[in-house]
Amino acid sequence: MQRSSIARIDAKRRTDLDYKKRQFAAPKWRDQEYKHRLNFYTIPPTAEITLEEFEEWAIARLKVLSELEACSFRNRGPEETTSYMKPILEKHLPLQSNSSRSTQLDAQRKKDHYSHFILRLAFSATEDLRRRFVRLETALFRLRWNEDDTRERRDFVDSLDMGSEWEKVTEEERKSFGEELRAATPWGKSKGEEDGWFKVDWEKVPELVEQRKVLLKRGKAYVPVREQSSLVLAEFSRRLETAMELTARALPRLDEDDRLSPILSHLSTSFTAPETAYSSDTALDGLTTPTAASVDALSQHFPLCMQHLHRTLRQNSHLKHFGRLQYTLFLKGIGLSLEECLIFWRRSFKLITDEKFNKEYRYNVRHAYGDVGGDANRRGGGYTPYSCQKLMTEALPGPGQTHGCPYRTFAPDNLIGLLQHTGINDRQTLNEVRDDVKRQRYHIACNRVFEYKHRNEIKKVKDDGTWSGAQLDTILHPNEYFKRSFLLGHLGEEGNALKDEIRG
Ligand code: SF4
């Protein structure tokens, strides 16, 4: 009886149901060939990669996409965006052309291919995420397209399966319409022939028809290759939009994989404000060691979130639990030792007795540094300083609490007041901050303020080339803000002046 009911199940359905067995089956994969630098991402990757690569590659692409988004939020023009993105792309997602003859071509293209598909999975869950992803991927494609070698770009377009919509103009047509084709393109006599043309229904290129940049024949527009960017880009977006919808439908099945789901959901939350891990590079190691006495002087380099905590602490001689934790970890991150941190808090809480301090506050500071607590806490060196993403996404502070990111937690008028109090009086910057905050682009507002405050130093390091572009990318961590502000504030100063400020 049982056997017959199993036999009645259609063989194909049975394969669908038996996912547990299927995941241990021999993987069917084939090596991908990456002939072109550009990719329309039509074929999903099938080879195996490690979980570390899965995460690292996705984070690298996410960094690139969020920097691109930051460029559009900052209204950077195409040229400015290209030069801003160049070092960032080289660092996180390099993609060289065939003519470079680099030995890394395959590895670079594989990373590009896989990271695209991983983020596709992470960002297909909601319509908003899908729309943002398509917009940013198209912007990335545009950047690469514009920089591609003309010949390689043409080979890439030839390789696309554009169906009947795009037809390459044949050699015979070129010969028979040669003069007309060249006459219909402003640069035709000198360059048109070398680039080539293709045919599309004229309705697809109304602006080119209107500008008389194409030859029209029997309902077809003969579009010069150099005018095809907009068509290729539109096609890229259209295909990606469709693919994202399909991915969204397949997404529930991924919940079965408990290795990937947490990584994917972490990646999609990182799209709100990109996550950045704390790096001990953000401490002032190698310069000298900050002390409890130098925190006041150093606070001029703190981001608004930490400045606000510092001021509140100075005003009230007290900070509530979450503010204390946020600030302790930040101070730990700039290199303040546990001993100095304890001195700092003890002196700051000047309205309470030693006994009360030791009983109620000392333990928490030591715990944050990993000096006490369970084995795991001690082995791991305590907690890590909070990133902007964490501060922007945690629960809003209640009455009397001062933790979090002020760009998010303050009412706009109060935020502007706070910024003015810290010396930001430029009307345009304040208006732009107000606008950023209204659109919930908190980290953009913070970076805008940073760039305004350090405009002269940034110009200097850019002009004399002492800092690479990647060193001036978007700040996503309060400790990175501090370090960058500190270093920009002490350009060319070595030795005593610098050390004096840190020592206090
Ligand atoms: Fe602090 Fe980050 Fe907010 Fe700036 S954006 S105030 S560094 S949490």
Side-chain angles (χ1 to χ4, degrees):
M1 183 67 193
Q2 227 179 6
R3 282 181 63 147
S4 68
S5 70
I6 290 172
R8 273 207 310 273
I9 298 176
D10 173 278
K12 274 193 207 147
R13 256 190 83 210
R14 201 162 60 219
T15 333
D16 272 353
L17 292 170
D18 201 5
Y19 77 91
K20 277 188 186 148
K21 272 187 193 155
R22 252 189 312 133
Q23 66 178 341
F24 297 113
K28 283 184 200 151
W29 63 274
R30 59 196 157 113
D31 254 334
Q32 201 98 35
E33 241 198 301
Y34 300 107
K35 284 192 189 153
H36 307 283
R37 175 175 176 261
L38 297 169
N39 196 336
F40 254 34
Y41 310 106
T42 34
I43 304 171
T46 45
E48 280 184 26
I49 56 169
T50 64
L51 264 186
E52 286 75 33
E53 284 170 331
F54 185 92
E55 194 164 12
E56 270 172 38
W57 294 356
I59 289 172
R61 195 178 195 91
L62 192 60
K63 169 77 182 161
V64 166
L65 295 187
S66 41
E67 288 291 354
L68 263 175
E69 188 165 57
C71 284
S72 84
F73 290 166
R74 305 291 307 273
N75 279 334
R76 289 196 160 108
E79 273 177 29
E80 207 190 335
T81 301
T82 307
S83 67
Y84 177 82
M85 289 302 297
K86 199 164 183 268
I88 292 167
L89 280 165
E90 273 164 15
K91 183 172 172 196
H92 299 282
L93 216 54
L95 204 56
Q96 289 166 289
S97 59
N98 294 346
S99 56
S100 73
R101 305 200 183 286
S102 161
T103 52
Q104 298 299 311
L105 288 190
D106 253 1
Q108 291 175 355
R109 291 171 190 189
K110 183 177 178 186
K111 180 177 173 185
D112 177 61
H113 182 210
Y114 281 61
S115 61
H116 169 90
F117 272 93
I118 299 166
L119 292 196
R120 220 189 243 200
L121 287 178
F123 300 130
S124 56
T126 69
E127 204 189 324
D128 177 49
L129 284 175
R130 286 198 292 273
R131 212 178 314 118
R132 279 174 73 193
F133 183 70
V134 172
R135 185 165 48 77
L136 294 172
E137 279 288 329
T138 309
L140 177 60
F141 185 85
R142 182 189 291 113
L143 262 189
R144 289 167 164 176
W145 168 271
N146 288 340
E147 292 207 332
D148 214 17
D149 187 275
T150 317
R151 191 198 167 105
E152 288 182 28
R153 195 159 58 185
R154 191 172 58 202
D155 289 347
F156 170 70
V157 174
D158 288 349
S159 76
L160 294 175
D161 174 22
M162 303 302 288
S164 56
E165 296 177 15
W166 295 24
E167 236 179 285
K168 234 186 134 196
V169 170
T170 60
E171 213 37 55
E172 294 87 74
E173 282 176 301
R174 270 172 90 137
K175 278 186 190 140
S176 66
F177 303 141
E179 263 318 302
E180 286 175 275
L181 280 171
R182 278 190 289 278
T185 52
W187 56 88
K189 293 216 164 31
S190 58
K191 196 95 180 12
E193 186 130 34
E194 162 197 325
D195 286 350
W197 290 264
F198 62 98
K199 291 189 284 190
V200 287
D201 290 336
W202 73 268
E203 297 98 324
K204 293 211 178 264
V205 285
E207 54 316 330
L208 295 180
V209 174
E210 195 186 322
Q211 292 164 24
R212 295 172 190 270
K213 284 186 173 170
V214 288
L215 172 69
L216 292 177
K217 282 229 175 255
R218 297 189 203 106
K220 295 278 183 194
Y222 286 68
V223 183
V225 164
R226 65 164 64 189
E227 289 293 348
Q228 82 191 146
S229 330
S230 49
L231 269 178
V232 176
L233 289 166
E235 185 64 20
F236 178 87
S237 301
R238 194 189 62 74
R239 289 189 187 192
L240 185 52
E241 266 164 32
T242 315
M244 295 292 285
E245 304 260 327
L246 293 175
T247 315
R249 273 184 241 157
L251 212 54
R253 278 194 247 161
L254 256 186
D255 290 345
E256 292 162 359
D257 194 323
D258 51 13
R259 296 162 309 161
L260 301 190
S261 299
I263 301 179
L264 293 174
S265 80
H266 179 71
L267 287 169
S268 61
T269 34
S270 292
F271 218 20
T272 315
E275 175 64 311
T276 186
Y278 166 73
S279 134
S280 53
D281 273 4
T282 52
L284 288 172
D285 284 353
L287 297 173
T288 187
T289 318
T291 62
S294 61
V295 175
D296 278 324
L298 291 175
S299 69
Q300 62 177 299
H301 299 294
F302 291 179
L304 198 60
C305 47
M306 304 303 165
Q307 271 192 0
H308 178 49
L309 290 174
H310 189 75
R311 275 162 197 267
T312 313
L313 177 63
R314 288 288 171 257
Q315 265 165 21
N316 304 345
S317 300
H318 188 262
L319 271 186
K320 291 206 170 192
H321 174 75
F322 289 114
R324 252 179 6 247
L325 183 58
Q326 176 179 325
Y327 200 29
T328 300
L329 294 174
F330 172 78
L331 294 174
K332 176 184 169 190
I334 71 170
L336 196 68
S337 66
L338 171 61
E339 292 68 35
E340 287 295 323
C341 197
L342 283 166
I343 296 172
F344 170 77
W345 283 112
R346 177 63 203 104
R347 285 185 191 159
S348 303
F349 279 28
K350 56 187 176 203
L351 304 180
I352 59 168
T353 61
D354 277 345
E355 192 194 348
K356 186 172 166 70
F357 180 81
N358 290 340
K359 205 165 130 204
E360 293 179 23
Y361 301 104
R362 178 177 282 272
Y363 184 87
N364 283 348
V365 178
R366 291 179 60 202
H367 195 264
Y369 272 75
D371 191 46
V372 287
D375 280 353
N377 187 47
R378 272 184 282 164
R379 264 200 312 275
Y383 303 154
T384 323
Y386 293 158
S387 66
C388 297
Q389 190 207 61
K390 166 135 180 79
L391 295 174
M392 281 177 207
T393 47
E394 64 188 2
L396 287 168
Q401 292 181 318
T402 38
H403 61 275
C405 170
Y407 291 97
R408 171 176 176 248
T409 57
F410 271 53
D413 286 342
N414 296 345
L415 173 70
I416 299 299
L418 181 65
L419 284 170
Q420 285 171 327
H421 198 61
T422 63
I424 309 292
N425 287 306
D426 179 60
R427 189 184 292 253
Q428 189 187 339
T429 307
L430 293 174
N431 283 343
E432 286 168 346
V433 164
R434 202 184 270 278
D435 192 49
D436 291 332
V437 167
K438 198 164 109 198
R439 293 164 194 254
Q440 303 183 347
R441 297 167 181 171
Y442 309 119
H443 66 297
I444 299 289
C446 182
N447 276 272
R448 202 184 284 285
V449 167
F450 180 89
E451 283 168 29
Y452 174 73
K453 269 187 169 174
H454 298 282
R455 58 197 180 285
N456 297 330
E457 298 90 343
I458 291 176
K459 183 172 181 320
K460 186 169 182 305
V461 293
K462 271 188 183 167
D463 288 351
D464 62 23
T466 42
W467 283 34
S468 76
Q471 283 174 280
L472 290 167
D473 59 0
T474 307
I475 297 171
L476 300 169
H477 200 295
N479 287 86
E480 176 57 36
Y481 184 111
F482 165 73
K483 183 167 190 184
R484 207 178 291 182
S485 168
F486 186 86
L487 292 176
L488 284 173
H490 295 86
L491 287 176
E493 265 180 58
E494 277 147 29
N496 295 338
L498 188 59
K499 287 180 181 167
D500 284 351
E501 188 181 341
I502 302 172
R503 284 208 192 101

